[in-house]
Amino acid sequence: MKLTTQELQALDSAHYIHPFTDTAALAKKGARIIVKGEGVYIWDSDGHKIFDAMSGLWCVNVGYGRKELADAAYAQMMQLPFYNSFFQTSTEPSIHLAKLLADVSPSQFNRVFFSGSGSEGNDTIVRLARHYWSCLGQPQKKTIIGRWNGYHGSTMAGASLGGMEGMHQQGGLPIPDIAHIQQPYWFEIGRTQFPELCKDEFGLKAASWLEEAILDIGADRVAAFIGEPVQGAGGVIIPPTTYWPEIQRICRKYDVLLVTDEVICGFGRTGHWWGCETFGIEPDLMTFAKGVSSGYVPLGGVMVSDRVADVVIAHGDFNHGYTYSGHPVAAAVAIANINILRDEKIVEQVAHVTGPYLKKKFEALIDHPLVGDAETCGLMAGLVLVKSKSPLTMFNAALGVGMVCRGHCFGNGLIMRAVGDRMIIAPPLVTTCAQIDEMMLLIIKCLDLTLTEVKSRGWVD
């Protein structure tokens, strides 16, 4: 029996606690029920077609409805639906995927540790980095430095590594031996707090905060620095080009492991296979998830450099792992997904065609009265809604102008995410230039509707 939207919403409200959601508020409104996906579009239970400019949750890189991925899952389920990687056993898909990941990763990466998600991957980072230094006779070298407004998942360790203060307020976080430095956000911090610096100079200044933290804590106590090449959930914060090379120099100077969280940036999002390649750095560890399987099946993990792997392997058991590490069905789907990315040259398409096209179109939004900044990196982008551009004046955060804009997006067939008053997108990597045009028309329409509403409310002149 097919249920109506209202019946599904009632069951949802009665039984399903959603992530990062005010459950009581959602129960009053009713969840949007998504029932179908094809290409860059999804449909809800009322038949509305929606342009998914967020790739689900940064993950449906090859788009919805790829039969190759469904076929890979079915074939593997029929042959071997599950077996674990404990007790000196392995499975063919997990072996082949490990080799394939090494092939598409920078040359220092030849081994992988599998998890079920990016959050689990970042928990693994904490265990692995600390164990590495312990193996080298430096067990006190265990502090890991992250960034405020960074996001590394919502498990105890992942949420601690991240710098989302709202998450830290729930659950007694961060856990011990985690520290944070300020983010390299030019528009919010550099432009306002360091007006004497150009953007590239601010990039060096922001990187220097890592050196200050290392010296304050003591280099003999700092195990690693972790950061997203481009901050995703924090609002598509694209650092100055000077930032990451200087971060790497500081890590090497003080013998601190460099970790890039590639859960969002990996597998083509920035126009390279990995975000670290976009910014010209060579990390010691990389977390991945999402795009590895285009979200079709949960899968995550950590790419482990030879520097780290050789030491850990030489010291016996690494007492860490998950039931679903190297899950054969997830691995089979990931193999098919990576083959699509390679065979269809999707990463190259982002780098040379659709990424530059999105940049041209999206950055032109700076001409809109509500837009104070607009920037892109590959197929991810963010804009800032402002009250006035001359002088540059932000809205009162309590007004929730970003959520007003998001409401107009949802009401007009577009998924665009609000992070405060920063509106962000990350469309599927298979999005065409024609579809970018379609998406841009929707964005402009929703910005116009937002402008009309904020004027009617008296929030702008």
Side-chain angles (χ1 to χ4, degrees):
M1 180 180 78
K2 184 174 176 59
L3 300 181
T4 66
T5 296
Q6 291 72 26
E7 289 169 332
L8 289 167
Q9 289 173 330
L11 288 174
D12 182 81
S13 298
H15 303 293
Y16 191 177
I17 299 177
H18 290 245
F20 289 92
T21 298
D22 182 332
T23 301
L26 180 62
K28 293 178 181 178
K29 181 180 180 181
R32 170 172 275 177
I33 314 299
I34 305 302
V35 297
K36 177 186 173 184
E38 185 67 34
V40 301
Y41 305 101
I42 54 175
W43 284 261
D44 67 17
S45 54
D46 291 323
H48 298 123
K49 181 181 180 182
I50 306 160
F51 194 117
D52 182 11
M54 279 305 303
S55 302
L57 200 59
W58 316 89
C59 50
V60 189
N61 287 4
V62 300
Y64 296 95
R66 296 302 297 245
K67 186 174 182 296
E68 305 97 309
L69 303 191
D71 288 345
Y74 176 78
Q76 186 58 46
M77 284 183 177
M78 292 302 295
Q79 180 170 334
L80 179 69
F82 172 76
Y83 202 73
N84 65 75
S85 296
F86 292 63
F87 316 125
Q88 301 180 19
T89 63
S90 194
T91 65
E92 289 185 78
S94 60
I95 294 168
H96 291 309
L97 177 58
K99 174 60 167 62
L100 186 55
L101 287 168
D103 289 345
V104 301
S105 297
S107 60
Q108 70 269 30
F109 294 107
N110 289 292
R111 290 185 174 89
V112 60
F113 188 98
F114 287 117
S115 66
S117 68
S119 294
E120 289 180 357
N122 282 321
D123 277 37
T124 300
I125 290 289
V126 174
R127 296 285 308 280
L128 196 54
R130 291 175 175 175
H131 181 55
Y132 167 79
W133 289 113
S134 183
C135 288
L136 291 177
Q138 301 182 65
Q140 82 289 348
K141 203 170 169 71
K142 60 182 179 180
T143 298
I144 301 176
I145 301 173
R147 299 182 296 195
W148 296 118
N149 200 39
Y151 185 81
H152 301 295
S154 60
T155 52
M156 290 292 284
S160 295
L161 292 172
M164 302 289 184
E165 292 180 306
M167 298 173 71
H168 290 178
Q169 293 166 6
Q170 299 177 348
L173 302 178
I175 59 176
D177 298 307
I178 304 292
H180 297 87
I181 61 172
Q182 191 51 268
Q183 60 183 331
Y185 186 8
W186 164 250
F187 186 81
E188 181 180 276
I189 300 172
R191 181 184 56 83
T192 59
Q193 297 181 24
F194 303 95
E196 74 281 6
L197 301 180
C198 70
K199 192 169 186 178
D200 282 346
E201 290 169 335
F202 171 70
L204 296 175
K205 176 67 176 179
S208 76
W209 297 331
L210 174 60
E211 186 164 28
E212 291 172 7
I214 291 171
L215 292 173
D216 182 59
I217 296 164
D220 62 328
R221 294 180 52 219
V222 179
F225 171 76
I226 185 171
E228 305 153 86
V230 175
Q231 290 161 248
V236 185
I237 308 301
I238 304 167
T241 56
T242 52
Y243 178 77
W244 274 111
E246 181 66 2
I247 287 287
Q248 176 168 274
R249 185 193 68 78
I250 292 167
C251 287
R252 298 293 181 255
K253 177 180 178 180
Y254 294 101
D255 204 13
V256 169
L257 294 177
L258 177 57
V259 185
T260 55
D261 183 335
E262 302 272 2
V263 169
I264 286 173
C265 294
F267 302 96
R269 177 60 59 188
T270 66
H272 292 83
W273 277 91
W274 305 92
C276 63
E277 295 172 316
T278 298
F279 293 97
I281 58 171
E282 298 178 357
D284 301 296
L285 298 163
M286 298 192 305
T287 322
F288 66 86
K290 296 187 184 292
V292 68
S293 64
S294 283
Y296 278 54
V297 179
L299 177 65
V302 177
M303 296 305 301
V304 185
S305 69
D306 294 340
R307 171 190 178 181
V308 175
D310 290 348
V311 170
V312 171
I313 290 169
H315 285 76
D317 289 2
F318 177 42
N319 295 314
H320 175 73
Y322 307 99
T323 298
Y324 299 129
S325 291
H327 192 292
V329 175
V333 171
I335 291 168
N337 176 70
I338 293 172
N339 284 336
I340 289 173
L341 291 172
R342 295 175 90 179
D343 295 345
E344 298 182 10
K345 299 188 182 303
I346 291 172
V347 180
E348 293 85 350
Q349 183 82 357
V350 172
H352 302 299
V353 181
T354 52
Y357 191 75
L358 176 65
K359 179 180 178 67
K360 177 183 175 182
K361 295 291 185 176
F362 195 86
E363 292 184 356
L365 292 173
I366 194 67
D367 294 332
H368 193 279
L370 275 183
V371 178
D373 188 42
E375 56 183 349
T376 73
C377 181
L379 279 194
M380 58 198 307
L383 62 84
V384 182
L385 302 174
V386 297
K387 181 177 181 180
S388 168
K389 295 206 277 191
S390 183
L392 191 60
T393 308
M394 305 301 294
F395 285 103
N396 183 331
L399 297 176
V401 174
M403 294 302 288
V404 171
C405 185
R406 191 187 78 161
H408 286 298
C409 293
F410 279 10
N412 288 275
L414 174 68
I415 301 296
M416 190 177 188
R417 185 170 172 179
V419 180
D421 288 343
R422 193 169 173 90
M423 305 302 298
I424 61 176
I425 59 168
L429 302 190
V430 294
T431 304
T432 65
C433 290
Q435 288 169 333
I436 289 173
D437 287 339
E438 177 188 347
M439 177 181 67
M440 294 307 304
L441 288 174
L442 289 170
I443 291 173
I444 292 168
K445 177 180 181 180
C446 295
L447 288 172
D448 288 344
L449 289 169
T450 302
L451 179 60
T452 299
E453 181 167 347
V454 296
K455 282 184 175 180
S456 70
R457 295 189 182 193
W459 294 350
V460 297
D461 297 330

